[in-house]
Amino acid sequence: KAGVTQTPRYLIKTRGQQVTLSCSPISGHRSVSWYQQTPGQGLQFLFEYFSETQRNKGNFPGRFSGRQFSNSRSEMNVSTLELGDSALYLCASSGGGLTTDTQYFGPGTRLTVL
Amino acid sequence: QQPVQSPQAVILREGEDAVINCSSSKALYSVHWYRQKHGEAPVFLMILLKGGEQKGHEKISASFNEKKQQSSLYLTASQLSYSGTYFCGTGYGSGNTGKLIFGQGTTLQVKP
């Protein structure tokens, strides 16, 4: 079974621009969660999508948004980029999106904002 | 609400043992352990559930103390490949949610 894939792997943007990141979960998985990882803040939960619906949201500004498609692929968008948005963005998929389900991480998208 | 991991860092020689702890101030329903090597994605190690069920790698052992709201990961006879940063992710409530809150990580370095 193919793992979680994320595209692109690396991105360089300038302040004020917007960016869209993509995540394809493991086949059959219906839940996709997004995390931001930075050296200072560690792994922080952004949001979770299940069956095309946002089910949970972390403590991030409205500039961070996402969506999920009928095939469970998910995208996240960051508008009006700030320097502090530079981070590794990870998505994780799980089958049923339960607290008890194993989440499998993708390789991440490294975003650099200049 | 973020769980606290201890120690923050540990250095071992090959063959030595280590214990990494994860403590929460809130009642836990599940604890998920991951290892991340530099520049790579976190890799699933083990999940421990309220009630005692465990799922994960055969060579990794862990415990979950529901009363103390604490989990410990035991790394025995460490190998060079064990080096990396270990994260615990905590799940609260038995509801339908994939949200995990992660600790700040424990960096493990195994030397020959």
Side-chain angles (χ1 to χ4, degrees):
Chain A
K1 234 183 198 182
V4 179
T5 58
Q6 291 186 246
T7 56
R9 293 292 312 279
Y10 302 91
L11 264 179
I12 299 175
K13 294 285 186 178
T14 55
R15 277 182 299 175
Q17 287 187 310
Q18 77 165 19
V19 66
T20 299
L21 314 181
S22 180
C23 172
S24 292
I26 291 171
S27 177
H29 283 192
R30 296 168 65 192
S31 169
V32 174
S33 296
W34 287 90
Y35 296 87
Q36 180 195 64
Q37 186 175 33
T38 58
Q41 300 296 322
L43 269 165
Q44 291 190 289
F45 175 79
L46 279 157
F47 29 65
E48 182 215 0
Y49 286 88
F50 182 83
S51 291
E52 302 179 64
T53 301
Q54 186 181 88
R55 200 160 59 171
N56 288 284
K57 192 175 191 310
N59 192 23
F60 279 82
R63 300 185 296 105
F64 291 82
S65 63
R67 58 178 175 168
Q68 187 180 35
F69 302 95
S70 58
N71 61 358
S72 293
R73 188 177 71 85
S74 177
E75 288 181 349
M76 68 163 279
N77 184 279
V78 188
S79 62
T80 319
L81 284 167
E82 299 177 0
L83 294 179
D85 297 334
S86 294
L88 179 66
Y89 290 88
L90 293 159
C91 74
S93 78
S94 68
L98 303 176
T99 309
T100 54
D101 285 344
T102 300
Q103 292 193 24
Y104 297 93
F105 281 88
T109 294
R110 172 76 61 186
L111 172 64
T112 302
V113 182
L114 302 174
Chain B
Q1 191 176 342
Q2 181 183 32
V4 176
Q5 288 185 231
S6 62
Q8 284 191 319
V10 60
I11 300 175
L12 298 174
R13 293 282 180 192
E14 264 188 301
E16 292 181 339
D17 302 338
V19 180
I20 300 172
N21 300 304
C22 175
S23 297
S24 172
S25 58
K26 196 176 165 184
L28 293 170
Y29 197 85
S30 63
V31 180
H32 306 233
W33 286 97
Y34 291 84
R35 176 174 59 222
Q36 185 178 29
K37 294 183 182 285
H38 186 69
E40 299 180 10
V43 172
F44 168 75
L45 295 175
M46 174 162 283
I47 180 172
L48 301 103
L49 308 177
K50 186 176 178 179
E53 186 180 349
Q54 296 185 3
K55 299 184 277 187
H57 285 257
E58 295 174 0
K59 293 187 177 180
I60 301 282
S61 65
S63 65
F64 182 13
N65 187 320
E66 292 175 33
K67 260 189 176 180
K68 291 185 177 180
Q69 292 154 198
Q70 182 178 330
S71 177
S72 297
L73 186 71
Y74 304 98
L75 303 169
T76 56
S78 58
Q79 305 170 18
L80 295 176
S81 61
Y82 286 12
S83 294
T85 301
Y86 290 76
F87 293 98
C88 67
T90 49
Y92 300 96
S94 60
N96 297 331
T97 172
K99 177 179 179 179
L100 295 178
I101 306 298
F102 282 90
Q104 78 279 20
T106 295
T107 302
L108 175 72
Q109 185 181 3
V110 180
K111 293 185 173 182

